[in-house]
Amino acid sequence: MASLVQRLYRIFVPPSQPPKVEDSSNPPIKFGILGAANIAPPALILPAKSHAEVIVYAVAARDQGKAKNFAKKHSIAKVYGGSNGYQQLLDDPEVDAIYNPLPNGLHFEWTMKALLAGKHVLCEKPMADTAEEVKQMFDLAEKKGLVLLEAFHYRFHPAIQRAKAVLDSGELGKIKSIDLKFTAPAGAMKDSDIRFNLALGGGAMMDLGCYSLNCIRYLSSSDPTSVVSAIALPLKSANIQETKIDRAMSTTLALPNDVLASMEVDLSMPWEFFPPKLFKMWVVVKCEGGDVEVQNFVLPTFWHSIKVSNKVGGTTTKRVEKVYKFADAHIDDHSKALDLGEDWWLTYRYQLEAFVDKLKGRTPQTWVTREDSIANMQWIENIYEKAGIGSRPRSNYVLPAQ
């Protein structure tokens, strides 16, 4: 508990806030934020405080007042607001990179417009509503020579990388099955939440599910071979008329080598009182010679555990690992020094380190590739198809003739 409190304090009040670099030959990266989103402070603004090469320079919002208040609260120099605010931010020559935390259904349009404006983009996940849109986004980024990253921030933290290193080491033998649950408690989100809006790319599989599917694919080092079953649970509310919105999704995936993966995601899980349980956020990988269980794989900086059960010679040994920085991760890493990170670094801070490294021509410790992002979205679509409710609607935005 003491270490948790200490980490929380350091997240919000970093022990070291290095001065921003002022080298004209290697200037800092100036970010613009599209939308005054609630995720922006933990995902970019807080991490930027401890990064010498990052300045959160501008924010745009449809509501001018909201944009001004957001900028004042977070000490952001430039503000754009109104119906043309997003485009004005993209047209600002001082902005080098865009953070796009807009609703899912707007990711495609505004990421494409950002790329057309010559900006690098860190785009929240899921990157778009369809795999074809994701492909087009990367095609344009590559054509323009720009960096585009889907913000699967948990992948940059040493905790999940340590869990994968245990599985890849062969210590436990081949993977036999994977079981993952990721839920939010009932009442955490109102019926009017964008996650329940089909036009904006809503649904549990799009929200919690994109993480869950990505984690299964990452830990197994494979893509599914088929969707065995997918059952969508609709949101039952008089205020919601969207029959294609999944409040929850239960899925079974077939992976190579006869491995089955089960996945349960729920945006409004009924409360469990005995024992008390507000949410679930864990993955268990069963292998021939033991198991790996990761608790809180998404936000491990707050708390997490990696439980390893090893069945050797008729006996079972158990250990619990907690990994907050790469010095403690025990992984093979030839791209960066193993002292990368601090125990209070959020997953987003590790992600920002990688993104800036990429922009500066350095080799990031890890990366989420084009192929990874396209495949993740394609399998989300496959799950929706199996569930009988179809993919989220494609964007109406059409790329101008080049």
Side-chain angles (χ1 to χ4, degrees):
M1 181 60 70
S3 61
L4 169 60
V5 172
Q6 185 180 62
R7 286 196 304 276
L8 288 173
Y9 178 78
R10 289 176 173 175
I11 287 169
F12 294 98
V13 185
S16 60
Q17 297 189 39
K20 304 300 180 181
V21 296
E22 297 181 357
D23 184 355
S24 59
S25 64
N26 187 30
I29 305 298
K30 291 185 176 180
F31 272 86
I33 303 174
L34 291 176
N38 292 334
I39 190 61
L44 179 62
I45 295 170
L46 280 174
K49 289 184 178 181
S50 61
H51 202 304
E53 297 176 294
V54 174
I55 294 174
V56 180
Y57 168 78
V59 63
R62 303 285 193 186
D63 185 315
Q64 181 79 37
K66 186 176 181 180
K68 287 183 177 180
N69 290 338
F70 188 90
K72 182 179 180 180
K73 180 178 180 179
H74 299 291
S75 302
I76 299 174
K78 202 68 178 264
V79 180
Y80 295 101
S83 60
N84 199 38
Y86 292 168
Q87 189 60 53
Q88 289 176 335
L89 185 149
L90 297 184
D91 292 337
D92 188 332
E94 291 292 314
V95 174
D96 303 302
I98 296 297
Y99 172 55
N100 184 353
L102 295 171
N104 301 335
L106 299 178
H107 286 176
F108 176 74
E109 176 181 355
W110 288 102
T111 294
M112 295 295 271
K113 288 180 176 178
L115 294 169
L116 285 173
K119 314 299 184 184
H120 306 285
V121 181
L122 175 62
C123 183
E124 273 302 334
K125 74 274 130 215
M127 188 171 275
D129 283 357
T130 69
E132 176 56 32
E133 289 174 329
V134 177
K135 179 180 180 300
Q136 289 182 43
M137 293 158 82
F138 278 103
D139 285 347
L140 182 57
E142 291 172 5
K143 180 179 179 181
K144 295 286 187 179
L146 298 167
V147 174
L148 173 60
L149 175 65
E150 185 174 19
F152 276 116
H153 54 94
Y154 84 101
R155 289 270 296 271
F156 297 85
H157 196 277
I160 196 67
Q161 293 189 37
R162 172 57 186 161
K164 182 171 173 56
V166 172
L167 294 168
D168 291 348
S169 71
E171 172 188 351
L172 304 178
K174 295 180 180 178
I175 294 175
K176 302 298 292 181
S177 67
I178 302 176
D179 183 24
L180 186 150
K181 288 182 171 55
F182 190 7
T183 68
M189 301 169 197
K190 298 180 180 179
D191 292 353
S192 58
D193 193 285
I194 60 172
R195 294 170 181 84
F196 299 131
N197 188 320
L198 180 65
L200 294 177
M205 192 60 222
M206 291 288 284
D207 191 74
L208 306 183
C210 72
Y211 279 111
S212 304
L213 175 63
N214 190 271
C215 186
I216 288 172
R217 294 176 52 248
Y218 176 64
L219 293 179
S220 67
S221 300
S222 66
D223 283 324
T225 56
S226 67
V227 181
V228 178
S229 65
I231 301 173
L233 181 65
L235 182 70
K236 295 181 179 179
S237 169
N239 299 325
I240 298 294
Q241 305 299 323
E242 301 284 14
T243 59
K244 293 187 176 183
I245 282 291
D246 49 314
R247 190 210 83 188
M249 182 76 78
S250 297
T251 307
T252 300
L253 301 168
L255 303 178
N257 302 314
D258 298 321
V259 175
L260 285 179
S262 63
M263 178 173 63
E264 177 185 326
V265 295
D266 194 336
L267 289 171
S268 187
M269 183 188 80
W271 287 43
E272 296 181 11
F273 295 98
F274 301 104
K277 191 171 294 184
L278 298 181
F279 62 90
K280 301 175 182 178
M281 196 187 306
W282 51 259
V283 56
V284 177
V285 183
K286 293 186 178 296
C287 304
E288 293 174 330
D291 310 330
V292 175
E293 177 183 329
V294 184
Q295 290 281 354
N296 193 12
F297 63 95
V298 175
L299 294 169
T301 306
F302 297 102
W303 58 267
H304 73 273
S305 65
I306 305 169
K307 299 178 182 178
V308 181
S309 175
N310 193 332
K311 304 169 186 176
V312 180
T315 63
T316 300
T317 61
K318 297 183 179 181
R319 68 179 189 269
V320 178
E321 300 184 20
K322 296 183 179 182
V323 182
Y324 293 97
K325 53 187 179 180
F326 279 94
D328 304 323
H330 306 294
I331 62 175
D332 293 327
D333 184 346
H334 305 291
S335 61
K336 293 205 72 168
L338 291 180
D339 60 355
L340 173 66
E342 301 289 347
D343 61 359
W344 50 270
W345 274 22
L346 290 167
T347 50
Y348 302 106
R349 178 59 179 82
Y350 281 104
Q351 176 179 259
L352 183 61
E353 186 81 5
F355 189 74
V356 173
D357 279 348
K358 197 78 167 181
L359 267 60
K360 293 291 186 179
R362 303 187 291 257
T363 301
Q365 189 277 328
T366 195
W367 197 250
V368 179
T369 66
R370 164 198 174 105
E371 293 75 19
D372 195 343
S373 292
I374 295 173
N376 211 67
M377 194 64 242
Q378 183 60 66
W379 283 100
I380 289 174
E381 288 196 84
N382 294 347
I383 290 169
Y384 274 128
E385 180 180 359
K386 186 72 173 182
I389 57 177
S391 302
R392 311 297 86 178
R394 293 189 59 170
S395 171
N396 294 322
Y397 176 73
V398 178
L399 182 69
Q402 299 293 293

